[in-house]
Amino acid sequence: MKQLFTLMVLFATTFLFAQEAETTEKKFSFEGSVDAYYRANFTAPNDTNQIAPATSFADTAGFSLGMGNIIASYEKGKAGAVADLVFGPRGEAASATVLNQLFAFYNISENTKLTIGKFNTFLGYEVISPVGNFNYSTSYLFSNGPFSHTGLKVDFTLSEDLSLMLGVFNQTDVTEFNPDGSYAIGAQLGYDGQFLNLLYDDAGLGFEVDYTGGFDATEDFFIGINAAYADNDGEGFYGVDLYPQYALSETFSLGLRGEFFQTQSEAIDDDPSVIAFTLTGSYAVDDLIIKPEIRLDSGSEDIFIDKDLMATKSLGSFVVAAIYKF
């Protein structure tokens, strides 16, 4: 029976590739980005890299490097592949290797796409690459959620506004191999730019439900929204982020990220929380984007250090970043 099944799979694969060989249209693209920044604390010393918000990126003092990103994609007919490479501290914090994403895909039909390999997570409002975010530093929700998955997913376009993704993956953020034979399952339901995301990973993150979306209040004013809840046997987090963004001109925009984030643990009586406000400007000069940013983090407990090296509940910091996309 196993041999018959294997032969059937091989026959089907051969048939698909034989059909594919009839198509000669080829598409190749090459793109990427580089970024660097300067960071300083207002309310804490800058002679140590340890005093920073407990989020993923832009957390070192002085002039610092972000990452170099190189993305090559190739498509012929219905099939294609993407190789996304990252170098530098931001890439190293997000990926165990330089392979940020590495996947192949097959368009089964106009409305169905099959993808296998490593790809960035479908949960959350923010992404690893600074090109895809308005704010340069990242949120607590992003930093505590998954970064990437390795597995198989199928994307369905159900109508012009309605989409569905179903997937099975290795343990969350263990993306180069499967260490213990456990798997995670995920789903995303999208409607008109609003997305409900679900992930269940019993051996890793646990269960997370995430809503990501937004709407145009006016032609120049956009409000993004992200809310998430995660639980793994009583350990987890929940929170909500709002992202109002206003375009003052064709080259300059202002954006504010307001966030409430709380961890939860059965071992702690009073779970700590953080309220953070991040005001970011975005000024475009051709393909170069300059982003000055002021960030204020306030915790329910003394989780930061002030200029006198005393424990305190708040931290004020400043970042200016340069991002070039090609």
Side-chain angles (χ1 to χ4, degrees):
M1 180 64 72
K2 289 183 178 180
Q3 291 178 340
L4 178 61
F5 177 76
T6 302
L7 289 173
M8 292 175 63
V9 171
L10 289 173
F11 175 78
T13 305
T14 303
F15 176 74
L16 290 172
F17 277 102
Q19 283 190 319
E20 186 60 40
E22 299 176 1
T23 304
T24 58
E25 183 182 3
K26 302 177 182 180
K27 298 178 183 178
F28 176 78
S29 66
F30 181 82
E31 59 183 325
S33 66
V34 295
D35 64 283
Y37 65 94
Y38 173 83
R39 181 184 178 278
N41 292 318
F42 292 138
T43 62
N46 291 295
D47 56 356
T48 173
N49 292 330
Q50 302 302 314
I51 305 176
T55 52
S56 296
F57 311 130
D59 55 3
T60 55
F63 292 102
S64 304
L65 299 178
M67 74 178 192
N69 191 196
I70 299 174
I71 306 172
S73 62
Y74 179 81
E75 184 173 359
K76 179 181 177 182
K78 295 183 178 181
V82 174
D84 178 350
L85 309 181
V86 289
F87 309 90
R90 189 178 182 118
E92 293 169 1
S95 178
T97 71
V98 299
L99 300 175
N100 180 39
Q101 299 186 96
L102 188 70
F103 59 84
F105 62 87
Y106 179 75
N107 295 303
I108 299 173
S109 68
E110 287 187 359
N111 300 319
T112 306
K113 181 179 181 180
L114 179 70
T115 303
I116 184 169
K118 177 185 178 182
F119 32 80
N120 292 157
T121 187
F122 55 96
L123 287 89
Y125 185 89
E126 300 177 21
V127 294
I128 294 171
S129 170
V131 173
N133 298 330
F134 190 93
N135 307 102
Y136 185 71
S137 66
T138 52
S139 68
Y140 289 89
L141 278 184
F142 170 82
S143 301
N144 285 271
F147 282 168
S148 299
H149 311 282
T150 294
L152 177 72
K153 65 175 182 175
V154 185
D155 291 278
F156 303 94
T157 301
L158 303 179
S159 70
E160 184 177 352
D161 295 323
L162 186 63
S163 65
L164 174 66
M165 186 280 293
L166 300 173
V168 57
F169 323 112
N170 288 343
Q171 188 179 136
T172 302
D173 287 329
V174 183
T175 52
E176 311 310 316
F177 64 99
N178 190 315
D180 56 10
S182 63
Y183 291 91
I185 55 175
Q188 179 186 77
L189 181 64
Y191 180 75
D192 194 24
Q194 316 302 311
F195 298 93
L196 178 64
N197 307 302
L198 301 172
L199 178 68
Y200 179 72
D201 178 9
D202 185 53
L205 182 69
F207 171 75
E208 181 173 354
V209 56
D210 171 273
Y211 162 70
T212 303
F215 60 92
D216 293 307
T218 67
E219 184 177 350
D220 299 320
F221 186 36
F222 174 78
I223 300 176
I225 307 169
N226 184 207
Y229 171 85
D231 179 76
N232 188 4
D233 293 331
E235 306 289 328
F237 62 87
Y238 59 90
V240 60
D241 288 5
L242 294 178
Y243 299 84
Q245 299 161 11
Y246 187 75
L248 298 172
S249 68
E250 291 183 359
T251 59
F252 185 72
S253 300
L254 276 176
L256 176 69
R257 178 179 62 217
E259 176 172 30
F260 171 79
F261 176 83
Q262 181 153 12
T263 59
Q264 58 178 3
S265 173
E266 293 181 347
I268 302 175
D269 294 332
D270 190 11
D271 295 325
S273 63
V274 177
I275 295 176
F277 293 96
T278 306
L279 179 64
T280 306
S282 181
Y283 178 64
V285 183
D286 296 327
D287 292 325
L288 176 66
I289 302 175
I290 307 298
K291 293 198 173 187
E293 182 171 288
I294 296 175
R295 177 166 178 162
L296 302 174
D297 294 65
S298 179
S300 61
E301 299 179 359
D302 293 338
I303 57 176
F304 301 109
I305 297 175
D306 63 18
K307 290 185 177 181
D308 297 322
L309 300 182
M310 301 295 292
T312 183
K313 293 181 179 180
S314 61
L315 176 67
S317 57
F318 169 77
V319 169
V320 58
I323 306 165
Y324 187 84
K325 179 182 178 182
F326 56 88

